Amino acid sequence: MAPLICMITGCTSGFGEAFVHDALSRGDKVIATGRKSETRLVHLKEAGASILELDVTASPAELDAKVKEAIAIYGHIDVLVNNAGYVQTGLIEATTQEKLMEQLDVNLFGPINMTKALLPHLRERKTGTIIFIGSLFSWYGRPNVGPYAISKHALAGFAETLNLEVSQFGIKVLHFDVGHFRTPVLAQAKSRVALKDIDDYAPMINVIAAISPSMHENQPGDPRLGIARMVDMIKGEGMAEGKEIPWRVPIGTDAVEIIKERCEETLRLIEQWKEFSRSTDFPGPKQGFWAEEEKKKASLAKQ
């Protein structure tokens, strides 16, 4: 395979930095982006990456210009890795609208606008791959992680819809539901807690506060191995060689276990409530579009 040209957001630490090193080690070319690039990305430039200052919360017009600047570096881009993000903690009732929007601007609208800026280039070339770093929190929620979970649930919906729209142009979409990996993300989240004094939640917050210190730097996932598996899928090599690549896959043992449990729970729920849920249609056979959909489902079931 010819070397890929990869544009990666959020490269100042964590997964972004690991992505850069893994791609370079495989002979690919990398455009590493982040804020304050000349100071925070200089080590990646020394490692062989091109660097570009970029804030994913910039306006769509500014991002369009940045993507054009990135394309000019090597002449084209094969892979966009939407990695930039952070964890905004806080109880739903206690999180301000301002803090919630800040979370969505980085974790959701940033990837959306970066993707839209690059899509015309990928459509013209009829090839390319768009990566989304999702989270197991797009499958379930936990107290005090609402803003982050909201952003990741929405990102998964965007990625699925995008995949259905752009696969016709030879563009691949990959969404990784990432578990807990030993990156700085939890340490960085400490400075982003958005709480007001609501006494009723004190017992819950006390439990969370007691657990939180033992989580950071004890996460089960090795970032280097997690990134290696993701790049295997992007390139169709290593542990992904010869396999049909799905648009969405969990990364990490805890992600596999939690998502499997959630799927099994959902199947049990559907089975228990299916007659209740099915009791809401108009009488008689389905018509028009809906009839055709029923035929397709019946045909697939026979295969």
Side-chain angles (χ1 to χ4, degrees):
M1 175 185 289
L4 296 176
I5 311 297
C6 305
M7 183 178 186
I8 306 170
T9 67
C11 295
T12 55
S13 64
F15 269 1
E17 183 177 1
F19 251 114
V20 173
H21 288 299
D22 192 285
L24 290 174
S25 72
R26 301 188 194 214
D28 296 319
K29 297 180 180 179
V30 175
I31 304 165
T33 75
R35 294 178 296 177
K36 300 180 180 178
S37 62
E38 290 303 323
T39 55
R40 303 182 70 187
L41 298 178
V42 64
H43 62 297
L44 297 179
K45 184 176 183 179
E46 293 170 351
S50 296
I51 63 173
L52 180 66
E53 185 166 339
L54 185 150
D55 183 344
V56 298
T57 66
S59 70
E62 291 176 286
L63 293 180
D64 286 346
K66 283 292 183 180
V67 166
K68 289 177 182 177
E69 188 177 343
I71 291 170
I73 294 173
Y74 295 112
H76 71 273
I77 291 172
D78 298 300
V79 180
L80 170 64
V81 180
N82 286 297
N83 168 74
Y86 72 93
V87 177
Q88 170 70 66
T89 58
L91 299 171
I92 295 295
E93 187 177 350
T95 300
T96 64
Q97 179 79 359
E98 178 186 16
K99 288 298 181 184
L100 178 58
M101 289 307 301
E102 287 175 0
Q103 177 77 113
L104 295 176
D105 280 342
V106 176
N107 288 12
L108 176 62
F109 297 118
I112 288 175
N113 291 331
M114 284 296 302
T115 297
K116 291 176 69 175
L118 187 61
L119 272 175
H121 174 71
L122 300 183
R123 277 194 297 103
E124 182 180 2
R125 298 185 65 235
K126 295 295 187 289
T127 186
T129 303
I130 302 171
I131 309 301
F132 296 97
I133 305 302
S135 169
L136 56 81
F137 284 104
S138 67
W139 285 87
Y140 86 132
R142 288 182 62 182
N144 204 49
V145 195
Y148 181 72
I150 290 166
S151 72
K152 292 302 184 179
H153 272 275
L155 184 65
F158 173 73
E160 182 173 14
T161 304
L162 180 72
N163 179 56
L164 295 170
E165 293 180 353
V166 303
S167 60
Q168 62 182 310
F169 306 122
I171 301 170
K172 294 188 296 183
V173 172
L174 292 176
H175 178 281
F176 297 113
D177 292 303
V178 177
H180 290 93
F181 281 78
R182 212 165 293 179
T183 70
V185 67
L186 290 183
Q188 294 166 352
K190 292 178 182 178
S191 64
R192 298 182 182 273
V193 174
L195 292 176
K196 295 185 294 185
D197 292 328
I198 304 178
D199 291 341
D200 288 344
Y201 290 109
M204 177 183 288
I205 290 299
N206 290 337
V207 171
I208 294 170
I211 294 172
S212 296
S214 67
M215 295 180 66
H216 180 51
E217 295 186 345
N218 289 310
Q219 300 96 322
D222 182 336
R224 293 171 299 177
L225 294 178
I227 293 300
R229 297 293 82 79
M230 293 186 221
V231 178
D232 281 350
M233 288 192 68
I234 294 169
K235 296 175 69 70
E237 61 186 30
M239 292 187 71
E241 186 173 1
K243 296 183 178 180
E244 183 177 351
I245 306 298
W247 78 270
R248 185 178 192 180
V249 71
I251 299 291
T253 300
D254 56 341
V256 171
E257 293 172 351
I258 287 171
I259 293 170
K260 182 175 182 291
E261 181 180 333
R262 176 50 56 93
C263 289
E264 291 171 345
E265 177 188 341
T266 301
L267 289 173
R268 288 193 299 269
L269 177 66
I270 289 172
E271 188 62 28
Q272 292 168 5
W273 289 86
K274 63 183 179 182
E275 297 307 322
F276 175 89
S277 300
R278 286 172 168 172
S279 66
T280 56
D281 289 351
F282 285 108
K286 293 181 173 62
Q287 303 292 328
F289 168 84
W290 308 106
E292 292 301 316
E293 288 297 295
E294 285 292 305
K295 290 179 182 178
K296 289 178 185 177
K297 292 176 183 177
S299 176
L300 289 172
K302 292 178 181 178
Q303 295 178 6

